[in-house]
Every structure is written in structure tokens, then in C-alpha cells.
Amino acid sequence: MTSAGSIAPSQPTVPLRQDATVIALVGLAHAASHFGHLLLPLLFPVFMQEFGLSYSQLGLLMTVFFVVSGVGQAGAGFVVDRLGARPLLFGALGIFAAACVAASQVAGYSGLLAVAALAGLGNATFHPVDFTILNQRVSSARLGHAFSAHGLTGNLGWAAAPVFFAGLGAWLGWRNAYLAAALLYAGVLALLVVQRAHLHTEVEARPAATPGQTPAEHDLAFMKLPVVWWCFGFFLLSTMTLAVVQGFAVSILQALHGVRFETATLTLTAYMLCGALGMLVGGGLGLLVPGAFQAIAALEVAHVNLVVAVFIWVMIYPMMIQIDWSAVKDVRRKPRGLILTLVVNWLIKPFTMAALGVLFFHYLFAPWVDPQSASEYIAGMILLGVAPCTAMVFVWSQLVKGD
């Protein structure tokens, strides 16, 4: 698959304006993809009233979107390597526009499932496409800024979606809001087509191996790199938490606190804008005072960063204040929930995760992962299996009202 090192980036003598244009165009495409993540979740309260859907049915819509997107993304990098990034980028934006048109015409749950699958397919190619273009078209001296802007624009896309759908939905109705979103995607696609010269990438040719020549590495050789699996684990956990916020924050705010639909969507926008602001401030401080960040990174005890540990507890604190501590003494009266949690977390999950780890790293991925790394990955999977998801705990705490 395409990586930063597979094709030499442009030289740092490239004019700033040229690099900035590429970064802006790719950032716009990335914002459009993140905008598409919320095509369905923002209208969940509307769908519940319009089609009589349950939370389980809404959750399945999210599952379909992310399964199609995840499976497609896993293979999209190989397609980009062979066809180039630009055609797939244009195709993905066209698919998102089609998903919006289809969403405006849905008459029931089956139509929403089809829209979820179509939007997931559109979302599948963006990261491989974006990173390929940035690696090839942006000078190496500015790649760090390019990737920072890429992450920033993604959050801005998330932040724009609630305002867009809440505003147009209240003014024109939710079906017309989807048609307006289709026009928005068509506009983004038209702009990128006009500026297509800035998005051109070279397809890496792979010469056939000659007798006596060392064969080229397999396409899956990247799976030998430990950093790939660490990044996979990080994004898996962060996405699990973020998916709950994106998918159900609006519905939860309405159901539990009686918040108006427009206010609930603006709350989600504020959350995403704060995330974008954090990236901007963090990146700026990293450039201005890099020594301070190095000092913070050195604050470790047993290889655990103290600043990160403190902020993890700050994140958990809102959940803790929802607990009715006076009811803890009565937990023995209804022990089934506690017993079930202990059995699942400590008697089932560690062993099932260990079995999955052995299956994947000792057998399926054995040609690409050395034995030492395989053992470390298995240990990580076991720890992952016994760690309840923070987002799930938040939801449970709300559902039982802190009991």
C-alpha cells in the first residue's frame, strides 16, 4: 500500500502557495468525508418519529455504515496504488452525493440501510486517497503541517454537519436538507475537478522479478510493522468512543434531558469545534515551545505518562458524578448485574481474546509478524478484552440514572 516512504515527496523548494493549495483541496475533501459520517445519525430522532424505529435499528445503521467503510478502506489502499488517488476521490464524492439523493427519497428502514451502505462505500477511499496525494504532492518540510491540517479539517466537517442539517431541516424539511447536501457534494466535486492538476498522483510501477533477483515484498508486508498495530489499536478505541457521541448524543440529549433538536445538534457542533481548536492550539504550541512538550513527555512513572493519566481521570469524572454512591451499599440486593460483569470481564473475555490473538498472530498473520511481536500483540489483545469501553459506561450510567 502507499506510504510516506514508498514514493519520494516533493523537494522543500516547492512554493508555499502550491503546497497550501494541495493541503486546502485535500482538507476540503476530508471535511466532506467527515460531513458524510453524520448524514444519518443527526436525523435519528426524526427517523424514530417518522418510521417508528428503535435504538437497536438505529445502531444497526451505524454498524452497516462503518462495516462497509472499514472493509472498503482496508482494500482501497491497494486500489489507489494501481489506479491513482484522483479517480477514486472523484468517485467517492459522487457516491456521497448519490447517498444524499437516496436519503431524501427513503420510505422506510430498508431504504435507510441502503443509504448507510452507500455512504459507507463513499467514505471508504478517503484516507488512502488523501494520504497518497499529500505524500506525493506536498514538500517533505511541510508534511507535518499537511497532516495536522488534514485532521483539523475532518473535525470541521463534523462540526458543520449538525448546523447544516438542523438549519436547513427546520427551514426546508429533512428531505430537502438531504437534497441540499447532495448539491453541496456536487459543488465540492466540481471544484476539485477544476483544480484536478493539483491532485494528480503517479502510480508506482512494479517491474516483474527477473531470475536470480530478490522478489519484491508482499503487499501485506506492512503488517510486520508494530506501529501499524499500535495505531490500529488507538483508532479502534477512539472510534468506539467517538461513534457513540456522534451517533447518539443528539438522541440521548433529547430523550433524557428534553433538549430541543436544534440545540442538541449545536451541542455536537460545539464538541467538534473544541476538538478542532485543541488540534490547532496543540500544533501551534508544539511549534512555538517544543521543549515544553518534551518535558511533559518525560514525566513518566513505570512508563506511564503522568499528564495523560491525570487527564484520563478528568475525562472519567463526569461519569463518576452520575453514580449514586449511597446505593452502593445495597448492591448485594441485586447481585446479578455485578456477577455477570465480573464473569464476562474476567472469566470469559481474557480467554476469548487470547484465543483470537493466537489465531491471528500465530497462524493467520504469522508470515508477517515475528514471534516476539506476536506475543506482545496477544498480551495487548487480552488487556483490551478486559477493559470496558468508557463510552459504554457513560451510556449505562445514563440509562440507570446513576444506580
Side-chain angles (χ1 to χ4, degrees), residues 41-386:
L42 290 174
L43 277 298
F44 277 176
V46 175
F47 297 151
M48 293 179 74
Q49 293 181 357
E50 189 90 5
F51 304 120
L53 303 182
S54 66
Y55 282 105
S56 298
Q57 289 174 306
L58 297 177
L60 181 58
L61 293 176
M62 294 293 292
T63 298
V64 170
F65 174 87
F66 283 111
V67 167
V68 173
S69 179
V71 173
Q73 195 165 145
F78 300 104
V79 180
V80 169
D81 282 345
R82 286 159 175 77
L83 300 181
R86 192 171 59 186
L88 270 70
L89 175 60
F90 294 165
L93 289 169
I95 291 174
F96 264 131
C100 291
V101 173
S104 72
Q105 304 300 317
V106 293
Y109 187 60
S110 59
L112 290 174
L113 286 172
V115 171
L118 191 60
L121 181 62
N123 184 64
T125 64
F126 275 94
H127 278 175
V129 162
D130 293 351
F131 294 152
T132 299
I133 295 173
L134 292 178
N135 283 325
Q136 291 197 27
R137 302 291 302 185
V138 176
S139 58
S140 57
R142 300 186 184 113
L143 269 179
H145 300 84
F147 289 124
S148 297
H150 185 264
L152 179 66
T153 54
N155 266 50
L156 293 178
W158 280 330
V163 176
F164 182 93
F165 281 103
L168 290 184
W171 180 35
L172 302 173
W174 65 271
R175 294 185 184 274
N176 288 325
Y178 275 124
L179 291 177
L183 292 176
L184 179 65
Y185 275 110
V188 173
L189 176 57
L191 175 61
L192 295 184
V193 169
V194 171
Q195 299 291 328
R196 60 188 179 278
H198 295 286
L199 304 173
H200 175 72
T201 58
E202 298 291 339
V203 177
E204 184 180 9
R206 297 193 177 189
T210 58
Q213 182 183 13
T214 303
E217 282 193 307
H218 192 275
D219 282 343
L220 297 178
F222 69 93
M223 295 176 68
K224 296 179 181 179
L225 301 174
V227 67
V228 170
W229 293 101
W230 286 118
C231 289
F232 173 80
F234 170 78
F235 281 108
L236 173 66
L237 293 176
S238 62
T239 303
M240 287 170 64
T241 304
L242 188 59
V244 174
V245 175
Q246 290 178 334
F248 294 100
V250 174
S251 299
I252 289 174
L253 286 172
Q254 284 194 284
L256 296 181
H257 303 292
V259 177
R260 293 174 59 245
F261 175 72
E262 292 79 10
T263 304
T265 55
L266 289 177
T267 302
L268 185 57
T269 290
Y271 176 89
M272 297 305 176
L273 284 176
C274 287
L277 179 63
M279 293 181 188
L280 188 62
V281 172
L285 291 176
L287 289 173
L288 296 174
V289 285
F293 283 82
Q294 294 173 0
I296 292 173
L299 296 175
E300 291 186 348
V301 174
H303 301 292
V304 176
N305 185 270
L306 298 180
V307 177
V308 173
V310 169
F311 276 100
I312 286 177
W313 281 105
V314 171
M315 179 184 70
I316 292 176
Y317 179 73
M319 176 196 68
M320 301 294 289
I321 63 176
Q322 295 287 333
I323 297 177
D324 180 6
W325 294 105
S326 63
V328 173
K329 65 180 184 297
D330 298 324
V331 69
R332 63 182 183 276
R333 298 181 180 177
K334 298 179 180 179
R336 288 184 297 175
L338 184 61
I339 293 173
L340 179 62
T341 301
L342 291 174
V343 169
V344 171
N345 278 359
W346 297 104
L347 297 182
I348 297 177
K349 290 170 69 176
F351 300 102
T352 55
M353 293 302 285
L356 288 172
V358 170
L359 172 64
F360 278 95
F361 294 109
H362 282 178
Y363 294 96
L364 299 181
F365 297 160
W368 308 293
V369 181
D370 63 87
Q372 177 63 31
S373 297
S375 299
E376 295 175 359
Y377 293 143
I378 293 172
M381 289 184 68
I382 294 172
L383 292 175
L384 178 64
V386 300

